[in-house]
Amino acid sequence: MRNKPSWKILAIRYFTPSRFIVHLKILLFLIPTLFLILCPVVYGMAADCQLEPTGENHIGIRYKALLVEDELSETGWALLFGGSGFTMNGGYQPHFIDLIIKGSWAALHDDELCANGFPPVQETWDNFTIEFGLSDYEDWSVQDNDIGAWTRDPNLFPRRYTNIDSRDPNAADKIMAEYQVDEGGTLEGREIEVSFVRAEVTNLSRDENYFMDPDLEGEQLCKPNSQDDILYRHWIATLKVPSLDINSSVDFYINASQGDKINGNNTLNFMWENPGRPVIESDKYKVIIFDPEVKTATGEWEKATRFLVDLRTPEGELPLNDKGELIVGYRKVNYKGRLAIEASFGYGYTDYVIDGDPTDYEPSDATKAVIDLVENIFDTGAPANPYPSIFGTHNGTIKPNQTITVSKLYTYPCEGTGGHTESIQLYEDNTLIANGTWKGYKSDWNNITIHNLTGEVPYVTLLKEHKYNYTIHTGSYSQIHHNTSLLTANGWINCTKFTDANGKIYKDWIPAIQLLS
C-alpha cells in the first residue's frame, strides 16, 4: 500500500463521445492549466465498451464483475467507468452517472468532503474499489445545483463534492461516493454486483446535506444545502459483495425534468482510462464483466448482449507486441459457462477486439468493434451426477439444431479438479475441418481455442441439422454424461466410443462441454 502522487488524481479525463462537446468547453481551460501544473500532459489508454444503442430508454442497469488482478505498480491505475447518461423524453440531458471500477486507486476519506477543485483524501491504496459519481454538465452555463446524494453508510460509502478535472467554477459539479477498502475489505479476487435503479419522485429538505457547492465563496463555499423548490427523481446505486456480506446503497437525486430515465444511446459504457501506455511488460490487470442487464420502462430486466468497442489511444502509446498485435483492451471470454467481457492486459492474449481506427473516434457505429454476448452455443450442460470420471479419448457425433459459429471449447471440470480437454478435432464427411490444443493451466485453462482449417475466417461454422464427428482427448477429471446419446436445447450429441486412460472402452460416456462462438 502506498500513497499515489497527486498527478494521478489530477489526470482523470472523461472523454466519452456523447459528452465530447461539453468536455471541449471545459478542456479549453483545463488543458493549458494541466500543462502548466503537470508538464508533460498525461495522455494514455482510452477505449469505450458501450452497450449498442437501441433507441430504448431504461429505468435501471446492473452488472456483475470478477475483480481478478490489479498489479499496476508501473502503469499507475486503470478505470472502467460503467457510465450512463440521463434523459426525459429521449434526448440527452446534461447529467451523467458513473459506476466505476477503479484499479489500483482506492481513496480513503471522510464523508462530506468538499473543495473547489480536488477534495483532499487521507490515503490512496493500490487496491480495487468502486466509485459512484453523479455529474452535472449543465453547471458551466446554468449552475442551478439540481443534483444531490445521500449515503446510507457514511463509513463505507462517504461522499465528496467537487468539480470535474478543474478548479474552474464553470466546470461540471460532481458528487462522488467511494467504497472504503479499509472499512469493508479488499475486493481483489472477489465477485461484485453493481446496480443503479430508478425510485420515486420527491422533494429534498433544505435542512439536510444533499449537496455542497464547490464553486461559491466565503461562508457559502461547500455549505450543506439542497434545493427544496426542485422536484427530484430518486435513483439508488448499490454495491453487493457476497463474499464480504456487503449490500450497501447510495441515494442520488437528479432534477426530475431531466433525469427521469437512462438514455438508451449512452448506456453501460465501460470506458477504460489509464495514464500513459499500459506497461504490458511487467504489470497485470484483469476484470471480467458478466450478466449485464437493463431494466425496461415497463419494469422487466433484460440481458444486455451487444457492446461496441471504440479505442482512441495515441499511436505511439498503443500497447502492441513485437508482431504488431494489440495485447490490451476488451475480449470476449467464457466465465462459469456464460459469455462475458474481459478488460485486461499483461497476459499475452492476442484476441482483443479492435475497431477501424484505434487511435481516434470512429465516425459511426459501423466501424466499431463488436462484442456479442448472445449465447450462440452448443451446450451439453452439467450432468446431475458427473461420476465416474477419468481422462481418455471421446469419439462421437454432434448435430446442432441451429447454425452456430464456433471458436472455443469449454469443458466442465469435476468440482475441485483440473478437468479439461487436451485437444479436439472436428470432422465433416471424414474431412478434418477444425482443431484445437490446450495451452496448459493458465487463467482460462477451461477453454481451448478452435481453429478453422477450411477457410480464412478464424471460426468454424456448424450448419443446422448437419452431422459432425468429434474426437476429444481429456485430461484430469471432466464431467461426464453417462448416456449413449443426449438431446440438448441446441441439438443432439452422441457417444460412439470412449477409451479411458487404461484402455477400457465404453459406449455411454459423453463429455460435458460447450462449443462457443
Side-chain angles (χ1 to χ4, degrees):
M1 300 175 187
R2 57 182 170 85
N3 291 347
K4 294 189 181 296
S6 60
W7 66 264
K8 294 187 177 181
I9 299 174
L10 294 172
I12 303 180
R13 298 179 307 280
Y14 294 75
F15 291 165
T16 60
S18 64
R19 294 181 277 178
F20 181 72
I21 294 175
V22 176
H23 284 304
L24 182 60
K25 296 173 182 177
I26 298 171
L27 290 171
L28 291 176
F29 171 86
L30 172 60
I31 291 176
T33 300
L34 284 181
F35 183 83
L36 292 174
I37 296 174
L38 306 178
C39 190
V41 175
V42 177
Y43 193 156
M45 175 79 176
D48 289 325
C49 183
Q50 177 177 309
L51 183 66
E52 182 180 43
T54 62
E56 181 181 4
N57 300 317
H58 315 296
I59 61 172
I61 52 178
R62 64 188 180 192
Y63 67 87
K64 297 176 183 177
L66 173 66
L67 310 185
V68 181
E69 188 171 13
D70 67 337
E71 176 46 58
L72 302 174
S73 57
E74 299 299 324
T75 300
W77 42 261
L79 308 179
L80 297 176
F81 281 86
S84 297
F86 288 97
T87 185
M88 185 64 185
N89 297 309
Y92 169 68
Q93 298 292 334
H95 297 85
F96 213 86
I97 187 71
D98 290 311
L99 311 173
I100 307 175
I101 298 173
K102 298 174 65 178
S104 196
W105 186 0
L108 306 186
H109 60 85
D110 295 326
D111 188 37
E112 301 180 3
L113 283 179
C114 178
N116 176 266
F118 307 95
V121 298
Q122 296 167 350
E123 293 182 70
T124 305
W125 289 8
D126 286 328
N127 295 100
F128 277 116
T129 190
I130 303 298
E131 179 183 284
F132 303 139
L134 175 62
S135 304
D136 180 4
Y137 282 96
E138 69 181 357
D139 195 60
W140 66 273
S141 60
V142 180
Q143 294 188 315
D144 58 356
N145 297 337
D146 59 353
I147 60 175
W150 189 265
T151 178
R152 303 184 189 185
D153 188 341
N155 293 319
L156 191 63
F157 266 106
R159 294 164 294 174
R160 286 188 290 166
Y161 301 86
T162 183
N163 301 111
I164 292 181
D165 289 340
S166 174
R167 291 181 172 87
D168 181 2
N170 290 324
D173 286 343
K174 190 176 183 72
I175 305 174
M176 296 173 284
E178 182 165 330
Y179 172 81
Q180 301 293 285
V181 295
D182 61 335
E183 179 75 18
T186 56
L187 300 179
E188 185 170 5
R190 302 185 191 276
E191 288 186 0
I192 65 169
E193 179 179 331
V194 175
S195 63
F196 187 70
V197 181
R198 191 179 76 172
E200 80 284 359
V201 172
T202 185
N203 291 104
L204 299 179
S205 169
R206 192 178 288 272
D207 297 332
E208 300 288 350
N209 179 22
Y210 290 93
F211 180 76
M212 286 195 267
D213 196 328
D215 303 325
L216 302 179
E217 297 179 354
E219 294 182 355
Q220 298 303 311
L221 174 64
C222 295
K223 179 181 178 180
N225 73 90
S226 65
Q227 300 281 19
D228 57 2
D229 57 341
I230 293 178
L231 194 62
Y232 289 90
R233 170 61 75 176
H234 178 199
W235 293 80
I236 304 171
T238 301
L239 170 67
K240 296 180 181 179
V241 188
S243 62
L244 294 174
D245 196 28
I246 287 173
N247 183 350
S248 187
S249 298
V250 178
D251 300 284
F252 287 99
Y253 300 89
I254 308 113
N255 189 327
S257 67
Q258 298 175 323
D260 188 63
K261 296 182 181 68
I262 295 168
N263 190 340
N265 291 323
N266 201 335
T267 303
L268 282 180
N269 182 3
F270 293 102
M271 180 184 175
W272 176 319
E273 285 188 355
N274 67 256
R277 172 183 174 273
V279 185
I280 57 179
E281 296 79 9
S282 60
D283 289 356
K284 286 190 175 182
Y285 173 74
K286 183 184 290 188
V287 172
I288 298 174
I289 300 163
F290 60 101
D291 292 349
E293 294 181 305
V294 296
K295 193 174 187 180
T296 67
T298 56
E300 294 84 22
W301 286 99
E302 293 184 349
K303 291 183 178 180
T305 57
R306 187 176 171 87
F307 288 78
L308 304 181
V309 176
D310 181 13
L311 284 75
R312 49 192 180 283
T313 299
E315 187 169 2
E317 297 188 9
L318 275 174
L320 306 174
N321 63 13
D322 55 5
K323 297 180 180 179
E325 299 167 314
L326 185 73
I327 53 174
V328 59
Y330 300 99
R331 58 196 287 262
K332 182 165 68 173
V333 297
N334 183 278
Y335 178 67
K336 291 187 174 179
R338 53 198 186 271
L339 296 178
I341 299 169
E342 178 183 292
S344 65
F345 73 86
Y347 298 86
Y349 303 140
T350 58
D351 57 346
Y352 294 103
V353 300
I354 188 167
D355 55 327
D357 184 354
T359 66
D360 203 354
Y361 287 101
E362 294 301 320
S364 74
D365 290 348
T367 55
K368 293 179 181 178
V370 176
I371 294 181
D372 195 337
L373 303 184
V374 173
E375 297 290 343
N376 180 19
I377 64 175
F378 188 98
D379 185 6
T380 68
N385 183 7
Y387 297 102
S389 174
I390 190 174
F391 53 94
T393 301
H394 297 264
N395 291 282
T397 61
I398 293 173
K399 186 166 74 171
N401 58 18
Q402 62 178 336
T403 297
I404 59 175
T405 56
V406 174
S407 61
K408 288 184 182 293
L409 169 74
Y410 170 81
T411 305
Y412 289 90
C414 289
E415 185 174 358
T417 76
H420 62 275
T421 292
E422 294 276 349
S423 65
I424 178 175
Q425 293 85 39
L426 289 174
Y427 299 84
E428 182 179 18
D429 297 329
N430 297 320
T431 298
L432 181 64
I433 60 172
N435 63 11
T437 304
W438 191 56
K439 301 299 183 183
Y441 283 112
K442 298 181 179 180
S443 59
D444 58 348
W445 59 269
N446 295 99
N447 297 305
I448 282 183
T449 298
I450 296 177
H451 304 282
N452 183 6
L453 302 179
T454 61
E456 295 182 356
V457 295
Y459 54 83
V460 63
T461 299
L462 304 185
L463 299 176
K464 177 181 179 179
E465 301 301 334
H466 280 233
K467 185 181 290 186
Y468 300 88
N469 291 85
Y470 65 83
T471 298
I472 293 175
H473 304 274
T474 58
S476 187
Y477 299 95
S478 59
Q479 297 191 33
I480 302 296
H481 290 274
H482 293 283
N483 304 89
T484 56
S485 61
L486 180 68
L487 177 60
T488 76
N490 314 115
W492 283 96
I493 182 170
N494 298 287
C495 172
T496 303
K497 180 176 69 172
F498 171 64
T499 306
D500 72 14
N502 300 313
K504 189 173 181 180
I505 295 176
Y506 304 83
K507 300 289 188 178
D508 58 351
W509 284 47
I510 296 174
I513 59 170
Q514 293 181 357
L515 295 173
L516 303 166
S517 60

